[in-house]
Amino acid sequence: MASLLKLFFSILATTLLATSQLANSGDPDILSDFILPPDLPEPGDYFTFTKIRPLFHQRPTSFKIAKASLAEFPSLEGQSVSYAVLQFPAGAANPPHIHPRASELLLVARGVLEVGLVDSANRLYTQTLQSGDMFVFPKGLVHYQSNVGRNTAVAFSAFGSASAGTVSLPTALFGSGIDDDVLAKGFKTDEDTVRGLEAGLAPPMKY
C-alpha cells in the first residue's frame, strides 16, 4: 500500500510540474486592464495600429506578411492576441512552419488558398479555402498555405498570443548551420543536395 501511495504522489507531482510548465508557455496574465505610458498626447493612439494600412494599396510580386504583434504594437502586452495580413500572388506559398506559442485562425478574404497541417502522428489534413472560409492551425503543429488560384489571394490570421513566434522549417533545417552530413543522413540524400538547398534558401518570413 505504501509503495502505491508513493507511486501515486510521484505521478501527481510530475503532472503538476508539467501543468505548471504548460501554463508558463503562453502569455503572462496581467494584473490590470492596461497601463498607459505617461504623457501620451492622445491616449486613444495607444490602442490604434495603422501600419497595415499601406498594404491595401499594394500589389505584391511575392508572398508578403504584415504583422501586428507585440514587437510592432506594444499595446498588445498581456492581451494574448495578435494579427497578420498575408498576401499571395498567383502560385505563391507560405512554406511549412510552426507557431510555438499560439494557435492561428486564418480567414481568406480574397482568392483561393490550399492549406494544410500535420498532426503529431504525421497525418496531413488539407483543405481548399474560398473567400470567407476559415481554418484553424493548432499551436505547435506544422502547417502551410498556398495560392492555387489565378489571382492574388489575401488572408487574415489571428493568434492567441501577442508574440506567437514563427519557426520556418526550411530555414530552421537548412539555414541554421546544422552540419551538412547530419542533414544528408536525416533526409537520406547526399551533401551536395543539402548544399544546393542551403544556397537556394530565401530569407525567412517572420510573424
Side-chain angles (χ1 to χ4, degrees):
M1 184 66 179
S3 61
L4 285 175
L5 284 173
K6 185 177 180 181
L7 177 62
F8 169 77
F9 284 115
S10 175
I11 293 172
L12 179 62
T14 302
T15 303
L16 289 173
L17 177 62
T19 303
S20 172
Q21 290 173 340
L22 284 172
N24 291 332
S25 67
D27 289 357
D29 289 334
I30 55 176
L31 301 179
S32 61
D33 297 334
F34 52 86
I35 301 175
L36 289 173
D39 303 321
L40 276 178
E42 190 63 47
D45 290 347
Y46 180 72
F47 300 99
T48 305
F49 187 78
T50 62
K51 294 180 181 178
I52 287 178
R53 188 185 299 171
L55 202 69
F56 292 89
H57 305 286
Q58 299 173 358
R59 287 179 173 265
T61 57
S62 60
F63 171 63
K64 287 189 176 180
I65 299 173
K67 55 180 180 171
S69 65
L70 181 60
E72 298 79 25
F73 194 8
S75 311
L76 297 180
E77 177 84 48
Q79 302 303 324
S80 298
V81 293
S82 57
Y83 220 69
V85 180
L86 295 75
Q87 292 181 304
F88 301 80
N94 187 7
H97 59 281
I98 65 172
H99 302 295
R101 292 184 291 277
S103 297
E104 173 183 0
L105 182 61
L106 179 136
L107 166 67
V108 178
R110 185 170 70 222
V112 181
L113 286 180
E114 180 186 283
V115 302
L117 70 88
V118 180
D119 69 11
S120 56
N122 291 324
R123 288 184 293 255
L124 174 64
Y125 303 83
T126 63
Q127 187 61 270
T128 300
L129 304 179
Q130 310 284 335
S131 297
D133 293 344
M134 303 177 79
F135 195 89
V136 62
F137 303 103
K139 178 170 67 175
L141 294 187
V142 175
H143 61 280
Y144 67 89
Q145 303 100 19
S146 177
N147 184 355
V148 294
R150 296 181 178 179
N151 302 310
T152 297
V154 178
F156 299 91
S157 285
F159 299 91
S161 168
S163 184
T166 301
V167 178
S168 167
L169 297 188
T171 303
L173 292 169
F174 299 103
S176 61
I178 297 175
D179 188 87
D180 291 347
D181 179 61
V182 173
L183 290 171
K185 290 175 179 175
F187 286 92
K188 295 181 173 56
T189 185
D190 55 79
E191 293 187 32
D192 287 341
T193 299
V194 170
R195 282 190 284 269
L197 291 167
E198 292 168 342
L201 190 66
M205 303 297 295
K206 297 180 180 179
Y207 69 107

